[in-house]
Amino acid sequence: LREVINDLLESVSNKDKEVEDVKKNIIVGAIVILFLMIVSSYTIFYRSQQPMLQAQKEATAIAEENANIQKVQDFYWYNGSETYFTLAGIDGNNEELYVIIKKDGGETTVLNTAEVVTESEAKSITQADKKPERILEARLGIENEEPVWEVTYKNANDTIGYYLISAISGKWLKDIENI
C-alpha cells in the first residue's frame, strides 16, 4: 500500500512539475511574442517616418540655399493638385519666412510671414467660419499659382473637412466637407 501511495504521490508530483514547465513555456513564449511585436511596431513606425524626414532634410537644404534659412521652425507637406514642401523658419536677417518648395522641380516661393496669413490666423479663420469641433492641422502649399492654407478639421459628427484659405488675402477658396 505504501508503494502504491508513494507511486501516486510521485506521479502527482511529476504532473505538477510538467504543469509548471508548461506554464513557464507559455510565459516565456508570450514575452518573446510581445517583444517581437514591440520591435516590429517600432520598425514599421521608423520606416514610415523616413520619407517625411528625407523630404524635410532636402527641403531644408533648398531653403538654406534659396532663402538663407538659418533656423527651421516647422515643416508642412501639402498634397493638393501638386505636392509642396514648406518650411517656416528664420533667415539670416532674423525675418520669419515661409519657403514653399514644389516637390517636382524644386521651384521655390518665399513669403514673409508679416505679409501673409500665418498658420494660427488660418486656423482662427477656419474656426470662425466653420465652427468645427476641433482643428486638426494646417498645411501651406500652392493651388493655381496662389499660396493657400489647407486647414483640416473635425466636425461634431466625426467627419473630416478641409478648408482652403488664400495665404495672401485670408479669403475662402474651397471647402471639402463630411469626409
Side-chain angles (χ1 to χ4, degrees):
L1 184 63
R2 277 190 187 166
E3 272 184 42
V4 171
I5 292 174
N6 285 338
D7 286 345
L8 282 173
L9 289 174
E10 189 176 316
S11 174
V12 169
S13 177
N14 286 340
K15 290 199 189 260
D16 285 345
K17 287 179 185 175
E18 288 176 16
V19 169
E20 287 299 317
D21 288 345
V22 168
K23 284 181 182 179
K24 285 179 186 175
N25 288 340
I26 289 173
I27 291 171
V28 168
I31 290 171
V32 168
I33 289 171
L34 182 61
F35 176 75
L36 290 174
M37 288 174 59
I38 290 169
V39 169
S40 297
S41 296
Y42 174 77
T43 302
I44 290 168
F45 175 76
Y46 178 76
R47 287 188 180 200
S48 71
Q49 294 300 308
Q50 286 306 306
M52 177 75 84
L53 296 172
Q54 184 63 32
Q56 184 173 354
K57 181 180 176 183
E58 291 174 16
T60 299
I62 292 170
E64 287 171 350
E65 181 180 323
N66 294 332
N68 193 27
I69 291 293
Q70 302 295 307
K71 180 181 179 190
V72 175
Q73 297 173 310
D74 214 341
F75 174 75
Y76 309 96
W77 186 319
Y78 174 81
N79 287 309
S81 57
E82 296 186 65
T83 299
Y84 290 88
F85 304 127
T86 301
L87 291 170
I90 299 174
D91 71 0
N93 297 325
N94 214 27
E95 291 185 22
E96 291 185 23
L97 304 175
Y98 291 119
V99 182
I100 306 171
I101 304 159
K102 189 174 185 179
K103 179 182 178 188
D104 296 328
E107 183 181 315
T108 304
T109 302
V110 180
L111 304 171
N112 189 312
T113 59
E115 299 169 2
V116 297
V117 174
T118 64
E119 178 181 5
S120 62
E121 291 169 336
K123 288 178 176 180
S124 293
I125 291 168
T126 303
Q127 186 68 47
D129 290 353
K130 301 305 294 178
K131 296 176 181 40
E133 182 177 300
R134 188 174 60 158
I135 301 288
L136 301 175
E137 64 180 325
R139 293 181 217 93
L140 184 60
I142 295 180
E143 282 295 328
N144 301 320
E145 299 181 18
E146 180 176 7
V148 297
W149 280 104
E150 177 188 71
V151 182
T152 308
Y153 60 91
K154 183 178 179 182
N155 290 310
N157 63 359
D158 281 340
T159 60
I160 302 292
Y162 296 92
Y163 199 59
L164 250 62
I165 301 167
S166 167
I168 303 299
S169 67
K171 302 273 188 221
W172 167 84
L173 297 173
K174 186 177 177 183
D175 195 11
I176 303 169
E177 295 184 301
N178 298 319
I179 296 177

